Amino acid sequence: MKDTREIAVPSKTKEILMKHGFTMKKSLGQNFLTDPNILRKIVTAAQIDKQTNVIEVGPGIGALTQHLAEKANQVLAFEIDNRLIPILADTLEDYPNVQIQNQDILTADLVQVTSEKFEEKLPIKVVANLPYYITTPIMMYFLESNLEIAEMVVMMQREVADRISAKPGTKAYGSLSIAVQYYMEATVAFIVPKTVFVPQPNVDSAILKLTRRKQPAVEVTNETEFFQLIKAAFELRRKTLWNNLLHHYGKNETNKKWLQESLQSATIDPSRRGETLSLEEFASLSNAMEKLRP
Ligand code: SAM
Protein backbone atom coordinates (compact mmCIF):
# COMPACT_ATOMS: atom_id res chain seq x y z
CA MET A 1 0.00 0.00 0.00
CA LYS A 2 1.21 3.52 -0.79
CA ASP A 3 2.61 5.50 2.13
CA THR A 4 0.51 8.67 2.28
CA ARG A 5 2.18 10.27 5.29
CA GLU A 6 3.55 13.77 4.71
CA ILE A 7 7.33 14.09 4.53
CA ALA A 8 7.34 16.33 7.61
CA VAL A 9 5.71 13.76 9.90
CA PRO A 10 8.57 13.01 12.34
CA SER A 11 8.48 9.23 11.83
CA LYS A 12 8.51 9.65 8.05
CA THR A 13 11.38 12.17 8.12
CA LYS A 14 13.37 9.72 10.22
CA GLU A 15 12.70 6.89 7.78
CA ILE A 16 13.75 8.98 4.78
CA LEU A 17 17.00 9.97 6.48
CA MET A 18 17.70 6.35 7.46
CA LYS A 19 16.80 4.93 4.06
CA HIS A 20 19.30 7.22 2.33
CA GLY A 21 21.88 7.19 5.12
CA PHE A 22 21.73 10.99 5.23
CA THR A 23 23.46 12.95 7.96
CA MET A 24 22.84 16.68 8.42
CA LYS A 25 25.55 19.22 7.81
CA LYS A 26 25.51 22.00 10.35
CA SER A 27 27.70 24.11 8.08
CA LEU A 28 24.85 24.20 5.53
CA GLY A 29 22.25 25.26 8.08
CA GLN A 30 20.42 21.95 7.85
CA ASN A 31 17.59 22.02 10.39
CA PHE A 32 14.62 20.21 8.93
CA LEU A 33 11.04 21.04 9.85
CA THR A 34 9.05 18.16 11.26
CA ASP A 35 5.67 19.71 11.96
CA PRO A 36 3.03 19.55 9.19
CA ASN A 37 0.87 22.14 10.99
CA ILE A 38 3.60 24.77 10.83
CA LEU A 39 4.06 24.01 7.14
CA ARG A 40 0.36 24.51 6.52
CA LYS A 41 0.50 27.83 8.37
CA ILE A 42 3.44 28.97 6.23
CA VAL A 43 1.66 28.09 3.00
CA THR A 44 -1.54 29.79 4.19
CA ALA A 45 0.41 32.94 5.12
CA ALA A 46 1.91 32.97 1.63
CA GLN A 47 -1.54 32.80 -0.04
CA ILE A 48 -0.38 30.54 -2.82
CA ASP A 49 -2.69 29.32 -5.55
CA LYS A 50 -2.44 27.86 -9.04
CA GLN A 51 -1.81 31.37 -10.35
CA THR A 52 1.44 31.58 -8.38
CA ASN A 53 4.93 30.33 -9.14
CA VAL A 54 7.17 29.71 -6.16
CA ILE A 55 10.90 29.84 -5.57
CA GLU A 56 12.13 27.85 -2.61
CA VAL A 57 15.62 28.07 -1.13
CA GLY A 58 16.93 24.85 0.40
CA PRO A 59 14.22 22.18 0.04
CA GLY A 60 16.14 19.72 2.26
CA ILE A 61 14.22 16.46 1.92
CA GLY A 62 11.17 18.26 0.54
CA ALA A 63 8.99 18.84 3.61
CA LEU A 64 7.91 22.37 2.64
CA THR A 65 8.27 21.72 -1.09
CA GLN A 66 5.53 19.12 -0.95
CA HIS A 67 3.07 21.59 0.58
CA LEU A 68 4.05 24.28 -1.91
CA ALA A 69 3.66 21.89 -4.85
CA GLU A 70 0.13 21.05 -3.82
CA LYS A 71 -0.98 24.69 -3.93
CA ALA A 72 1.24 26.40 -6.51
CA ASN A 73 1.43 26.29 -10.26
CA GLN A 74 5.16 25.48 -10.31
CA VAL A 75 7.91 25.30 -7.68
CA LEU A 76 11.56 25.93 -8.43
CA ALA A 77 13.74 24.86 -5.51
CA PHE A 78 17.46 25.65 -5.19
CA GLU A 79 19.44 23.12 -3.15
CA ILE A 80 23.20 23.42 -2.70
CA ASP A 81 23.81 19.95 -1.21
CA ASN A 82 24.11 17.41 -4.02
CA ARG A 83 23.55 14.53 -1.58
CA LEU A 84 19.93 15.70 -1.33
CA ILE A 85 19.20 15.59 -5.07
CA PRO A 86 18.50 11.82 -5.33
CA ILE A 87 16.52 11.96 -2.08
CA LEU A 88 14.32 14.76 -3.44
CA ALA A 89 13.80 12.79 -6.68
CA ASP A 90 12.46 10.01 -4.48
CA THR A 91 10.34 12.01 -1.98
CA LEU A 92 8.84 14.35 -4.59
CA GLU A 93 8.32 11.88 -7.41
CA ASP A 94 4.56 12.49 -7.38
CA TYR A 95 4.96 16.22 -8.01
CA PRO A 96 5.77 16.95 -11.65
CA ASN A 97 5.38 20.69 -11.02
CA VAL A 98 8.56 20.76 -8.90
CA GLN A 99 11.96 21.43 -10.39
CA ILE A 100 15.09 21.06 -8.33
CA GLN A 101 18.08 23.20 -9.17
CA ASN A 102 21.31 21.89 -7.64
CA GLN A 103 22.92 25.28 -7.09
CA ASP A 104 24.00 27.80 -4.46
CA ILE A 105 21.19 30.36 -4.53
CA LEU A 106 23.74 33.18 -4.25
CA THR A 107 25.19 32.28 -7.66
CA ALA A 108 21.87 31.98 -9.49
CA ASP A 109 20.87 34.37 -12.24
CA LEU A 110 17.33 34.60 -10.93
CA VAL A 111 15.81 36.40 -13.91
CA GLN A 112 17.29 33.95 -16.39
CA VAL A 113 16.56 30.70 -14.48
CA THR A 114 12.98 31.64 -13.71
CA SER A 115 12.29 32.61 -17.30
CA GLU A 116 13.68 29.24 -18.39
CA LYS A 117 11.99 27.07 -15.77
CA PHE A 118 8.61 28.67 -15.26
CA GLU A 119 6.35 27.85 -18.18
CA GLU A 120 3.87 30.66 -17.51
CA LYS A 121 4.58 34.21 -16.51
CA LEU A 122 2.74 34.35 -13.18
CA PRO A 123 3.44 36.29 -9.97
CA ILE A 124 6.49 34.86 -8.20
CA LYS A 125 6.65 34.32 -4.45
CA VAL A 126 9.67 33.23 -2.45
CA VAL A 127 8.78 30.78 0.30
CA ALA A 128 11.53 29.11 2.31
CA ASN A 129 12.90 27.85 5.56
CA LEU A 130 16.21 29.63 5.11
CA PRO A 131 19.65 28.27 5.99
CA TYR A 132 20.39 30.54 8.96
CA TYR A 133 24.11 31.00 8.34
CA ILE A 134 23.32 33.16 5.30
CA THR A 135 19.90 34.66 6.03
CA THR A 136 20.89 38.28 5.42
CA PRO A 137 22.91 37.67 2.22
CA ILE A 138 20.00 35.68 0.78
CA MET A 139 17.47 38.40 1.64
CA MET A 140 19.66 41.08 0.09
CA TYR A 141 20.35 38.91 -2.95
CA PHE A 142 16.64 38.63 -3.72
CA LEU A 143 15.91 42.29 -3.03
CA GLU A 144 18.77 43.59 -5.13
CA SER A 145 18.13 41.19 -8.01
CA ASN A 146 16.09 42.42 -10.93
CA LEU A 147 13.55 39.69 -10.42
CA GLU A 148 10.06 40.95 -9.73
CA ILE A 149 9.01 39.24 -6.51
CA ALA A 150 5.44 39.71 -5.35
CA GLU A 151 5.95 38.42 -1.84
CA MET A 152 8.42 36.62 0.39
CA VAL A 153 7.34 34.39 3.26
CA VAL A 154 10.49 33.17 4.90
CA MET A 155 11.49 31.48 8.10
CA MET A 156 14.59 32.79 9.84
CA GLN A 157 16.07 33.32 13.30
CA ARG A 158 13.62 35.35 15.33
CA GLU A 159 16.24 37.97 16.09
CA VAL A 160 16.87 38.65 12.38
CA ALA A 161 13.12 38.80 11.65
CA ASP A 162 12.80 41.36 14.46
CA ARG A 163 15.65 43.40 13.03
CA ILE A 164 14.19 43.42 9.54
CA SER A 165 10.72 44.46 10.68
CA ALA A 166 11.91 46.92 13.37
CA LYS A 167 10.61 50.47 13.70
CA PRO A 168 12.88 53.53 14.15
CA GLY A 169 14.00 54.25 17.69
CA THR A 170 13.95 50.60 18.74
CA LYS A 171 17.03 48.59 19.63
CA ALA A 172 16.56 46.21 16.71
CA TYR A 173 16.36 48.98 14.08
CA GLY A 174 19.37 49.27 11.82
CA SER A 175 20.67 49.26 8.27
CA LEU A 176 19.02 45.90 7.53
CA SER A 177 15.58 47.19 8.57
CA ILE A 178 15.96 50.17 6.26
CA ALA A 179 17.41 48.25 3.33
CA VAL A 180 14.53 45.78 3.37
CA GLN A 181 11.73 48.21 4.25
CA TYR A 182 12.77 50.48 1.40
CA TYR A 183 11.49 47.82 -1.02
CA MET A 184 9.06 45.74 1.04
CA GLU A 185 6.52 45.99 3.80
CA ALA A 186 7.69 43.66 6.56
CA THR A 187 5.69 41.96 9.30
CA VAL A 188 6.37 39.00 11.55
CA ALA A 189 3.56 36.52 10.77
CA PHE A 190 4.21 34.11 13.64
CA ILE A 191 6.88 32.63 15.90
CA VAL A 192 8.08 29.05 15.55
CA PRO A 193 9.56 27.23 18.55
CA LYS A 194 12.92 25.52 18.07
CA THR A 195 11.40 22.19 19.14
CA VAL A 196 9.85 21.51 15.71
CA PHE A 197 13.20 21.12 13.95
CA VAL A 198 15.58 18.20 13.57
CA PRO A 199 18.20 18.84 14.82
CA GLN A 200 17.01 21.63 17.11
CA PRO A 201 18.67 25.00 16.48
CA ASN A 202 19.77 27.13 19.46
CA VAL A 203 17.20 29.84 18.93
CA ASP A 204 13.52 30.27 18.11
CA SER A 205 12.48 31.18 14.60
CA ALA A 206 9.96 33.50 13.03
CA ILE A 207 8.05 33.62 9.80
CA LEU A 208 8.57 36.97 8.17
CA LYS A 209 6.17 38.15 5.53
CA LEU A 210 7.41 40.72 3.05
CA THR A 211 5.15 42.31 0.49
CA ARG A 212 6.68 44.31 -2.31
CA ARG A 213 5.70 47.97 -2.37
CA LYS A 214 4.41 49.31 -5.68
CA GLN A 215 7.27 51.77 -5.49
CA PRO A 216 10.04 52.22 -2.91
CA ALA A 217 8.86 53.57 0.43
CA VAL A 218 10.57 56.92 -0.08
CA GLU A 219 11.76 58.95 -3.04
CA VAL A 220 15.52 59.13 -3.36
CA THR A 221 17.43 60.84 -6.13
CA ASN A 222 20.39 58.44 -5.98
CA GLU A 223 19.86 54.93 -4.60
CA THR A 224 23.56 54.09 -4.38
CA GLU A 225 24.18 57.22 -2.29
CA PHE A 226 21.16 56.45 -0.13
CA PHE A 227 22.39 52.95 0.72
CA GLN A 228 25.87 54.29 1.38
CA LEU A 229 24.47 56.87 3.78
CA ILE A 230 22.56 54.18 5.66
CA LYS A 231 25.68 52.08 5.99
CA ALA A 232 27.60 55.14 7.18
CA ALA A 233 24.97 56.09 9.76
CA PHE A 234 25.23 52.70 11.49
CA GLU A 235 28.96 52.11 11.13
CA LEU A 236 29.79 52.99 14.72
CA ARG A 237 26.70 51.99 16.61
CA ARG A 238 27.06 54.12 19.73
CA LYS A 239 28.19 57.30 17.99
CA THR A 240 26.08 60.24 16.88
CA LEU A 241 25.04 60.65 13.29
CA TRP A 242 27.54 63.51 13.00
CA ASN A 243 30.48 61.41 14.16
CA ASN A 244 29.49 58.58 11.85
CA LEU A 245 29.18 60.89 8.87
CA LEU A 246 32.61 62.44 9.51
CA HIS A 247 34.10 59.00 10.01
CA HIS A 248 32.68 57.76 6.71
CA TYR A 249 32.90 60.77 4.41
CA GLY A 250 36.05 62.41 5.78
CA LYS A 251 36.77 65.28 8.16
CA ASN A 252 38.19 67.98 5.90
CA GLU A 253 36.62 71.43 5.97
CA THR A 254 34.82 71.09 2.61
CA ASN A 255 33.20 67.84 3.70
CA LYS A 256 32.27 69.22 7.11
CA LYS A 257 30.55 72.20 5.49
CA TRP A 258 28.76 69.94 3.00
CA LEU A 259 27.51 67.59 5.71
CA GLN A 260 26.49 70.46 7.99
CA GLU A 261 24.50 72.17 5.24
CA SER A 262 22.87 68.91 4.17
CA LEU A 263 21.76 68.13 7.73
CA GLN A 264 20.44 71.65 8.09
CA SER A 265 18.54 71.48 4.83
CA ALA A 266 16.98 68.16 5.89
CA THR A 267 16.29 69.62 9.37
CA ILE A 268 18.06 66.79 11.16
CA ASP A 269 19.89 67.39 14.42
CA PRO A 270 23.48 66.07 13.96
CA SER A 271 23.62 64.93 17.59
CA ARG A 272 20.95 62.28 16.97
CA ARG A 273 21.90 58.65 16.51
CA GLY A 274 21.31 56.81 13.24
CA GLU A 275 18.79 54.45 14.80
CA THR A 276 16.38 57.32 15.55
CA LEU A 277 16.05 58.43 11.93
CA SER A 278 13.03 57.32 9.94
CA LEU A 279 13.21 56.14 6.34
CA GLU A 280 11.84 59.55 5.27
CA GLU A 281 14.56 61.38 7.18
CA PHE A 282 17.28 59.25 5.64
CA ALA A 283 15.81 59.96 2.22
CA SER A 284 15.71 63.72 2.71
CA LEU A 285 19.25 63.74 4.09
CA SER A 286 20.50 61.66 1.18
CA ASN A 287 18.71 63.91 -1.32
CA ALA A 288 20.16 67.03 0.33
CA MET A 289 23.67 65.55 0.26
CA GLU A 290 23.25 64.71 -3.40
CA LYS A 291 22.04 68.24 -4.20
CA LEU A 292 24.68 70.09 -2.17
CA ARG A 293 27.63 67.82 -3.01
CA PRO A 294 30.73 70.05 -3.46
N1 SAM B 1 13.18 23.20 3.56
C1 SAM B 1 13.66 22.18 4.46
C2 SAM B 1 12.80 22.13 5.69
O1 SAM B 1 12.11 23.12 5.94
O2 SAM B 1 12.82 21.12 6.38
C3 SAM B 1 15.14 22.41 4.83
C4 SAM B 1 15.48 23.77 5.40
S1 SAM B 1 17.12 23.88 6.06
C5 SAM B 1 16.88 25.10 7.28
C6 SAM B 1 18.05 24.80 4.86
C7 SAM B 1 18.34 24.11 3.53
O3 SAM B 1 19.09 25.03 2.70
C8 SAM B 1 19.19 22.84 3.59
O4 SAM B 1 18.62 21.86 2.81
C9 SAM B 1 20.55 23.27 3.01
O5 SAM B 1 21.26 22.22 2.39
C10 SAM B 1 20.14 24.34 2.02
N2 SAM B 1 21.15 25.34 1.69
C11 SAM B 1 22.15 25.82 2.49
N3 SAM B 1 22.85 26.77 1.86
C12 SAM B 1 22.29 26.93 0.62
C13 SAM B 1 22.58 27.77 -0.50
N4 SAM B 1 23.59 28.66 -0.46
N5 SAM B 1 21.81 27.65 -1.61
C14 SAM B 1 20.78 26.75 -1.65
N6 SAM B 1 20.47 25.94 -0.61
C15 SAM B 1 21.21 26.02 0.50
Side-chain angles (χ1 to χ4, degrees), residues 10 34 64 179 188 266 284:
T34 56
L64 174 59
V188 172
S284 50

mmCIF file of all heavy atoms in Angstrom, residues 10 34 64 179 188 266 284:
data_model
loop_
_atom_site.group_PDB
_atom_site.id
_atom_site.type_symbol
_atom_site.label_atom_id
_atom_site.label_comp_id
_atom_site.label_asym_id
_atom_site.label_seq_id
_atom_site.Cartn_x
_atom_site.Cartn_y
_atom_site.Cartn_z
ATOM 1 N N PRO A 10 7.264 13.386 11.786
ATOM 2 C CA PRO A 10 8.571 13.006 12.337
ATOM 3 C C PRO A 10 9.009 11.575 12.009
ATOM 4 O O PRO A 10 10.166 11.346 11.621
ATOM 5 C CB PRO A 10 8.377 13.198 13.845
ATOM 6 C CG PRO A 10 7.324 14.250 13.951
ATOM 7 C CD PRO A 10 6.413 14.063 12.783
ATOM 8 N N THR A 34 9.799 19.410 11.125
ATOM 9 C CA THR A 34 9.048 18.159 11.260
ATOM 10 C C THR A 34 7.701 18.419 11.926
ATOM 11 O O THR A 34 7.332 17.730 12.865
ATOM 12 C CB THR A 34 9.843 17.120 12.093
ATOM 13 O OG1 THR A 34 10.142 17.727 13.352
ATOM 14 C CG2 THR A 34 11.121 16.700 11.420
ATOM 15 N N LEU A 64 8.688 21.178 3.024
ATOM 16 C CA LEU A 64 7.913 22.369 2.642
ATOM 17 C C LEU A 64 7.547 22.312 1.152
ATOM 18 O O LEU A 64 6.444 22.689 0.747
ATOM 19 C CB LEU A 64 8.739 23.627 2.966
ATOM 20 C CG LEU A 64 8.193 24.985 2.527
ATOM 21 C CD1 LEU A 64 6.825 25.269 3.152
ATOM 22 C CD2 LEU A 64 9.169 26.109 2.905
ATOM 23 N N ALA A 179 17.162 48.807 4.657
ATOM 24 C CA ALA A 179 17.413 48.249 3.326
ATOM 25 C C ALA A 179 16.218 47.420 2.860
ATOM 26 O O ALA A 179 15.802 47.495 1.706
ATOM 27 C CB ALA A 179 18.676 47.394 3.342
ATOM 28 N N VAL A 188 6.150 40.350 11.039
ATOM 29 C CA VAL A 188 6.367 38.997 11.551
ATOM 30 C C VAL A 188 4.998 38.313 11.587
ATOM 31 O O VAL A 188 4.076 38.789 12.249
ATOM 32 C CB VAL A 188 6.996 39.036 12.963
ATOM 33 C CG1 VAL A 188 7.028 37.634 13.576
ATOM 34 C CG2 VAL A 188 8.410 39.599 12.892
ATOM 35 N N ALA A 266 17.932 69.254 5.622
ATOM 36 C CA ALA A 266 16.976 68.164 5.888
ATOM 37 C C ALA A 266 16.366 68.287 7.289
ATOM 38 O O ALA A 266 15.606 67.415 7.720
ATOM 39 C CB ALA A 266 17.668 66.813 5.731
ATOM 40 N N SER A 284 15.508 62.289 2.952
ATOM 41 C CA SER A 284 15.713 63.720 2.714
ATOM 42 C C SER A 284 17.160 64.118 2.965
ATOM 43 O O SER A 284 17.691 64.984 2.269
ATOM 44 C CB SER A 284 14.715 64.604 3.471
ATOM 45 O OG SER A 284 14.663 64.233 4.791
#
